[in-house]
Amino acid sequence: MYKVLIVDDDKLARKGLISMVKWEDYGLTVVGDVANGMQALQFLEHNQVDLAFVDLSMPVLSGMDFIKASSQKFPKVKYVILTFHEDFENVQNALRHGVIDYISKLRLEEMDNEKVFARIGRLMRETSESGQWESRKLISGVELPDKDEEVSYEKMEELRSLWTAGQWVYNKRMFESMLENLRETNISVRQTERLLMWISQELERSFDVTVAVPWLGAQEEGMEWLCQTRENLCSKARTIRDYHNMRICILRAVLFMEEHISSKLSAEYVAGEVNMSRSYFSTNFKLVVGETFNDFLKEEKISCAKRRLQEENIKTAELAEQLGYEDPKYFARLFYNNTGMRCADYEKQISTRREEK
């Protein structure tokens, strides 16, 4: 059984939480309840606690200050935040200090508490120091739902790794593909909130911006947040006057390439636009975008070619010239290697699809 401490200045709230949950069913047992962060630290000095449910807004020592102090002195303790709507931005910061989940007090009565605490029990097992994936069987012998109507812990970690890598910020093609895949993934609204928090933390670190994550009423609101956040970063990159943040400079370079896709661009020329040396620019471009400058530029030009073939009837030689290629045969070969067909065949296929619709 994981030992639980309830930390909330509202005595009725503490007693209500203790009585409403069948803790043992989830592998948890309450060993104490205290009214503020200072009392919680004193309790931890003399008692074993594995998991603390912490109200963020408390007198004497706030929930956030308690978590920061406790995470340094008692690094094995995990936390679940009890929060109101106005505290939500603080949840993002709290996730850096061993917080494994959060519960909205306003939503608590509306939630299916069995699923909420089953998830928390599962997260405790999955984040245990043993590093082993423990059984999904509860100690009482009752089996947890395999997905709890959510994707697995492993899938969430996969999404976390993919989205926090940040390449989607620079690559619009990748962003649209990842967004579509995320829509198709059976990820709950709550898991979407958690994913956005992870993303916001990485963006704040990488781009030196403040990115607030809202409560979500539906998964699609999370998709809209991602689109708006990317657009905000692009807007910042377009207007920068200070070239000290490397990632913002690379994003500005990418936007410059998109805007001048018809020109004959070189790494040296684009690097000069963001006050970087060619070697420093090329190294960092590959690091954050995930492709070399030349490969990314080629993919952008081919993508632009596809769009133009979809929009108008245009000859290969003319299209090559519009995209900055002096040799139409070289461009035709690039297009074929990328798509498996000639420009004329690609255009014909698009026309056929339109007619079928």
Side-chain angles (χ1 to χ4, degrees):
M1 287 283 183
Y2 291 104
K3 294 178 170 58
V4 172
L5 173 66
I6 311 294
V7 189
D8 194 322
D9 62 315
D10 186 335
K11 185 175 181 179
L12 290 177
R14 295 199 310 271
K15 300 305 180 183
L17 182 59
I18 292 171
S19 63
M20 73 183 289
V21 178
K22 297 179 180 179
W23 298 92
E24 289 76 13
D25 286 354
Y26 314 114
L28 308 170
T29 182
V30 177
V31 295
D33 63 284
V34 295
N36 58 62
M38 190 62 69
Q39 291 179 8
L41 287 175
Q42 294 170 354
F43 188 92
L44 292 177
E45 291 280 2
H46 303 97
N47 300 273
Q48 180 186 340
V49 172
D50 302 301
L51 175 64
F53 283 72
V54 184
D55 180 24
L56 283 183
S57 181
M58 294 184 294
V60 184
L61 187 67
S62 72
M64 193 65 249
D65 289 336
F66 159 69
I67 291 172
K68 289 178 180 178
S70 174
S71 61
Q72 293 181 0
K73 198 167 185 180
F74 308 99
K76 294 182 180 181
V77 177
K78 303 298 181 184
Y79 310 91
V80 171
I81 288 177
L82 303 171
T83 178
F84 284 109
H85 179 80
E86 59 268 21
D87 297 321
F88 194 60
E89 289 185 21
N90 294 327
V91 175
Q92 297 176 63
N93 184 44
L95 288 175
R96 300 181 177 95
H97 298 277
V99 173
I100 64 169
D101 211 341
Y102 58 94
I103 296 175
S104 163
K105 286 187 171 182
L106 297 177
R107 291 179 175 179
L108 191 56
E109 293 184 1
E110 302 172 1
M111 290 178 176
D112 185 332
N113 293 321
E114 180 179 351
K115 292 179 180 178
V116 171
F117 288 91
R119 177 179 62 245
I120 291 169
R122 185 177 69 241
L123 287 170
M124 283 298 293
R125 287 186 295 281
E126 292 175 343
T127 58
S128 65
E129 286 192 343
S130 66
Q132 302 296 319
W133 298 111
E134 298 187 15
S135 169
R136 293 186 181 273
K137 296 282 186 179
L138 294 173
I139 293 177
S140 65
V142 180
E143 185 167 357
L144 280 171
D146 185 46
K147 293 182 179 296
D148 194 23
E149 293 191 355
E150 299 180 334
V151 299
S152 67
Y153 178 86
E154 297 96 318
K155 182 61 178 180
M156 282 300 294
E157 285 300 302
E158 179 185 323
L159 290 171
R160 177 178 186 169
S161 177
L162 182 64
W163 281 93
T164 58
Q167 294 170 357
W168 58 274
V169 174
Y170 310 92
N171 191 324
K172 186 176 182 180
R173 290 171 284 110
M174 177 184 288
F175 175 63
E176 291 173 349
S177 175
M178 288 172 60
L179 208 60
E180 187 59 31
N181 287 337
L182 187 59
R183 285 191 177 98
E184 294 174 356
T185 302
N186 186 30
I187 180 173
S188 70
V189 173
R190 184 178 188 79
Q191 287 180 315
T192 303
E193 287 177 346
R194 189 180 296 119
L195 178 62
L196 298 191
M197 288 181 188
W198 288 330
I199 293 171
S200 73
Q201 291 170 22
E202 185 59 32
L203 294 180
E204 288 177 2
R205 185 190 68 80
S206 299
F207 293 94
D208 191 27
V209 293
T210 300
V211 187
V213 178
W215 290 113
L216 302 180
Q219 188 202 49
E220 189 58 33
E221 292 176 14
M223 309 302 107
E224 293 171 2
W225 181 91
L226 285 166
C227 292
Q228 187 60 56
T229 297
R230 185 176 185 276
E231 182 53 42
N232 290 343
L233 289 173
C234 290
S235 296
K236 179 176 181 178
R238 290 188 183 97
T239 58
I240 59 167
R241 297 292 181 267
D242 182 347
Y243 293 89
H244 293 308
N245 186 300
M246 179 271 291
R247 291 176 181 270
I248 283 288
C249 288
I250 297 296
L251 180 55
R252 175 161 181 157
V254 166
L255 296 171
F256 179 85
M257 293 163 68
E258 290 177 355
E259 293 162 2
H260 297 82
I261 197 66
S262 297
S263 302
K264 188 175 181 180
L265 299 172
S266 67
E268 184 175 9
Y269 182 77
V270 177
E273 290 294 317
V274 290
N275 287 0
M276 288 184 179
S277 68
R278 183 188 183 282
S279 60
Y280 182 72
F281 172 76
S282 296
T283 298
N284 284 288
F285 191 96
K286 176 67 167 21
L287 176 68
V288 301
V289 178
E291 295 180 275
T292 65
F293 173 85
N294 287 331
D295 285 344
F296 182 83
L297 179 60
K298 179 178 67 177
E299 290 295 328
E300 283 296 300
K301 284 181 178 288
I302 295 299
S303 180
C304 183
K306 290 177 182 177
R307 289 195 301 272
R308 293 186 182 181
L309 286 168
Q310 292 171 18
E311 295 168 356
E312 58 182 309
N313 186 1
I314 186 171
K315 295 181 179 179
T316 301
E318 184 180 356
L319 183 56
E321 182 180 3
Q322 288 183 6
L323 292 173
Y325 289 101
E326 296 178 355
D327 184 351
K329 291 183 179 179
Y330 174 72
F331 165 73
R333 187 163 61 252
L334 286 179
F335 189 91
Y336 183 84
N337 290 339
N338 181 276
T339 64
M341 61 182 72
R342 298 176 304 151
C343 292
D345 295 333
Y346 182 87
E347 184 180 15
K348 183 178 180 180
Q349 184 183 78
I350 296 298
S351 299
T352 301
R353 287 178 181 173
R354 288 201 194 101
E355 291 173 1
E356 290 176 350
K357 290 181 180 179

